[in-house]
């Protein structure tokens, strides 16, 4: 239906590897920003919240969580410039992250 199951499987493997690693060590990076979208039915936020708690227990110094509330009605791909329902401006404003204007986004069309 237009989605790559192979890519989805790789993302799930990556997520499992990150979760497993979080039970024995903190992330190698000194800071982490976790972004959740309460309106996203494709993601189970409770698993992400558990991951955050595991990292906090491992002593991550700089861990920030930003949650977009459900009443913003943001879609799953809320910052994908190719997603017709994206809301980059809203997401950037609400999160405090600076994003260039939409015309500045480029898409890599190379394959291989």
């Amino acid at each position: 239906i237009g989605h790559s199951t192979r890519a989805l499987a790789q993302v799930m493997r990556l997520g499992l590897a990150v979760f497993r690693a979080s039970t024995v060590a903190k992330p190698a990076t000194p800071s982490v920003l976790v972004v959740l979208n309460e309106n996203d039915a494709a993601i189970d936020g409770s698993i992400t919240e558990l991951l955050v708690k595991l990292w906090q227990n491992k002593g991550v110094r700089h861990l920030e969580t930003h949650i977009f509330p459900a009443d913003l009605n943001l879609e799953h791909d809320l910052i994908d410039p190719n997603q017709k329902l994206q809301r980059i401006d809203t997401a950037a404003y609400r999160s405090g992250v600076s994003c260039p204007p939409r015309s500045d986004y480029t898409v890599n069309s190379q394959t291989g």
Side-chain angles (χ1 to χ4, degrees):
I1 311 176
H3 299 312
S4 168
T5 56
R6 182 176 298 208
L8 178 60
Q10 291 298 345
V11 169
M12 292 181 76
R13 283 189 188 106
L14 175 62
L16 182 58
V18 168
F19 193 84
R20 284 182 176 158
S22 74
T23 65
V24 295
K26 66 182 178 181
T29 184
S31 63
V32 177
L33 171 63
V34 176
V35 179
L36 293 170
N37 176 2
E38 289 182 336
N39 195 52
D40 190 344
I43 304 296
D44 182 352
S46 65
I47 300 297
T48 305
E49 290 169 0
L50 179 57
L51 178 64
V52 166
K53 288 178 184 172
L54 288 166
W55 281 339
Q56 287 171 330
N57 290 339
K58 295 294 179 200
V60 173
R61 284 193 211 145
H62 304 284
L63 194 147
E64 183 181 342
T65 302
H66 182 83
I67 301 173
F68 290 108
D71 63 358
L72 289 176
N73 296 314
L74 297 172
E75 297 292 321
H76 173 77
D77 295 328
L78 63 122
I79 60 168
D80 180 351
N82 295 316
Q83 163 60 266
K84 65 181 178 179
L85 299 175
Q86 58 78 13
R87 306 238 322 262
I88 295 170
D89 294 341
T90 300
Y93 173 76
R94 295 290 296 222
S95 66
V97 174
S98 176
C99 291
R102 184 160 199 252
S103 61
D104 291 351
Y105 285 93
T106 58
V107 177
N108 184 351
S109 61
Q110 296 176 348
T111 58

